[in-house]
Amino acid sequence: MTLSICTAQLNFVVGDMPANAQKIIAAAREAHAAGAQLLLTPELAICAYAAEDLFLRPAFLAACDDAVKTVARETAGLNGLAIVVGHPHSGAAGADGVTACFNAASVLRHGVVEHTYAKRHLPNYGVFDERRHFTPGTQTCVFDVAGLRVGLLICEDAWFPGPARAAAEAGAQLLAVINASPFHAGKGAEREQTLRARVLETGLPVVYAHLVGGQDEVVFDGGSFALNADGSLAGRAPVFEEKLVFSHVQHTQSAIKIEADIAPQPTREAELWGALVLAVRDYVGKNGFPGVLLGLSGGMDSALVLAIAVDALGADKVRAVMMPSPYTADISGIDAHDMAQRLGVRCDEIAIAPQFEAFKAALAPEFAGHPEDTTEENLQARIRGTLLMALSNKFGALVLTTGNKSELATGYCTLYGDMAGGFAVIKDVPKTVVYALARWRNQNDPHGTGMNPIPERIITRAPSAELRPDQTDQDSLPPYEVLDAIVARYMERDEPIESIVAAGFARADVERVTRLIQVNEYKRRQAPPGPRVTHRAFGKDWRYPITNRFRA
């Protein structure tokens, strides 16, 4: 016999339970019309992931319950279709009077909730705070679909052997895993390898349903997949796009075989580009901004952010502003306007020399006898930030900041200046990767907005903040290849200073970079949110005290 399973790889909005329910209902109707007997929705699909402390509000949980009932009621007539819906679920009050809340999934069929399963392993590391909001489940869920016994797991459950083994012991013949697993580079292959281990341990094939979409600082990449009982890949959905994916399960007494379409794994740069584009599109769209604006300097970082924004939103929703100072090179303006023209983006110019001179004149009595230093450099950045925020206030567009991870790590950025804005697009992209993405984008046009959007001179010029004469980044920082490697070891992998030195890095560079990371926490706390695309980002992944004297 053949069983058709539909994986609803969909993009939901946190807290919009009525719309999320309708999206699930529409998917159920389409799946049923196509002959599916089982529909899998992602983890917490009814409210979207992650709703954070909304899970602590009784009214929020009640609205989620109502949405589940709506899905059950509206799909009651879809005979023969079982629907797995992810949602928060309130249990009975304990002896202490506290009502438990579970990260749950319910099996709906014929308008009835047949089973409810509670996630057993609650992640509480990295970006996760599930133990703050949920109580772990203890039971196993196995249900029948057209004669096939399906064991239900939720995300983290599949990263440990116990829940899958318990499902197998309870008679499961196939594992269905619903997920909201945040993206970082290489995470898709990591998921497939982890689930392959569960398959080989249990001898059960698996269908893995994954969320897609951007939510504040995390991105969900989709890439739902299926594995056969021998661990071989049976199907894979495309990444970073909504799609209903059908897996056809051939079920005989002796074997189960899954067949589905297999989308290719993207390259590293293509994967990162897709994540950044989706993050911008969803942050802007889900928060109702009419468009975005950014300061375009003629440098590498703002060029990359402009290209991402146009791919995410279209040129008509992106506005660039060139704000030259007395230290801005002529070629910076030429390259900035060239790029804006290539992408068809409106680019205005507001010279900041008058404002800069006015600030210096106002401060002259206070600064008498003191030479110019970073104070005057920061004034220029803060004038630009003020102008961008004024345009944002007037026209409602979201300001995109353009600082990269290397700068944020070392504090090579100006508080209330180039850090001023609403969304930090490349805050988790190291400078070396900025260059790699720029070169990749010039050779590829994934969204049809044009090849070679970034002028070659922007890529090949020495990077500079252009806040003083003949300035380059390497006046203040080690070469980016060295800097990024130290940041990766110290910040992303928690390697101690002595180990980094032992790996061959100059002690002076290591001590300088790690000290900058440590003393600039106060800046990062005030930075806008931005998408996490590495294994560890500044934000929820990195919770270090500002007042802190530990230096190892």
Side-chain angles (χ1 to χ4, degrees), residues 198-240:
R198 299 292 85 78
V199 165
L200 296 178
E201 289 162 2
T202 62
L204 302 181
V206 64
V207 177
Y208 183 102
H210 192 213
L211 182 66
V212 68
Q215 171 58 33
D216 293 349
E217 292 190 299
V218 292
V219 185
F220 302 97
D221 50 317
S224 303
F225 60 89
L227 301 175
N228 279 309
D230 61 358
S232 62
L233 182 66
R236 181 194 295 129
V239 291
F240 304 114

Side-chain angles (χ1 to χ4, degrees), residues 134-340:
F134 300 118
T135 299
T138 59
Q139 303 300 313
T140 298
C141 179
V142 178
F143 60 99
D144 184 89
V145 180
L148 184 71
R149 300 286 289 166
V150 178
L152 181 59
L153 305 178
I154 301 176
C155 203
E156 190 82 357
D157 290 341
W159 291 73
F160 296 88
R165 182 173 58 245
E169 291 171 351
Q173 298 166 288
L174 177 144
L175 298 175
V177 187
I178 67 169
N179 305 269
S181 175
F183 167 82
H184 63 73
K187 187 67 176 290
E190 185 181 345
R191 292 189 201 104
E192 290 185 17
Q193 189 57 34
T194 299
L195 269 293
R196 187 169 287 110
R198 299 292 85 78
V199 165
L200 296 178
E201 289 162 2
T202 62
L204 302 181
V206 64
V207 177
Y208 183 102
H210 192 213
L211 182 66
V212 68
Q215 171 58 33
D216 293 349
E217 292 190 299
V218 292
V219 185
F220 302 97
D221 50 317
S224 303
F225 60 89
L227 301 175
N228 279 309
D230 61 358
S232 62
L233 182 66
R236 181 194 295 129
V239 291
F240 304 114
E241 64 177 82
E242 290 189 290
K243 193 173 182 66
L244 297 187
V245 182
F246 291 86
S247 300
H248 303 288
V249 183
Q250 302 291 335
H251 176 211
T252 66
Q253 288 185 340
S254 59
I256 296 173
K257 183 175 177 59
I258 304 174
E259 295 181 351
D261 293 334
I262 300 178
Q265 283 275 25
T267 65
R268 177 173 177 263
E269 288 78 15
E271 183 180 57
L272 285 172
W273 195 266
L276 295 167
V277 166
L278 182 59
V280 171
R281 181 185 300 137
D282 274 3
Y283 194 84
V284 172
K286 291 180 180 180
N287 286 294
F289 290 102
V292 299
L293 60 93
L294 67 146
L296 190 62
S297 68
M300 187 66 261
D301 295 326
S302 63
L304 187 72
V305 171
L306 179 63
I308 292 167
V310 171
D311 275 8
L313 306 170
D316 60 322
K317 292 186 177 181
V318 180
R319 179 180 178 183
V321 185
M322 179 72 183
M323 294 170 285
S325 81
Y327 308 115
T328 301
D330 290 342
I331 58 174
S332 295
I334 293 169
D335 291 343
H337 286 290
D338 179 14
M339 182 172 179

Side-chain angles (χ1 to χ4, degrees), residues 43-131:
E43 178 180 11
L44 294 172
I46 210 75
C47 62
Y49 196 102
E52 302 187 3
D53 280 3
L54 287 172
F55 290 123
L56 304 180
R57 298 188 65 84
F60 181 82
L61 297 178
C64 290
D65 290 343
D66 289 343
V68 173
K69 293 173 184 176
T70 297
V71 174
R73 182 178 65 252
E74 295 296 320
T75 60
L78 302 180
N79 293 326
L81 178 67
I83 305 169
V84 175
V85 176
H87 63 99
H89 175 68
S90 297
D96 57 1
V98 177
T99 301
C101 181
F102 301 97
N103 181 340
S106 290
V107 181
L108 314 181
R109 191 155 31 191
H110 309 306
V112 176
V113 176
E114 292 186 349
H115 307 274
T116 296
Y117 170 76
K119 187 176 182 179
R120 297 172 63 172
H121 287 278
L122 302 178
N124 214 59
Y125 54 86
V127 298
F128 301 104
D129 281 312
E130 291 204 14
R131 292 180 196 170

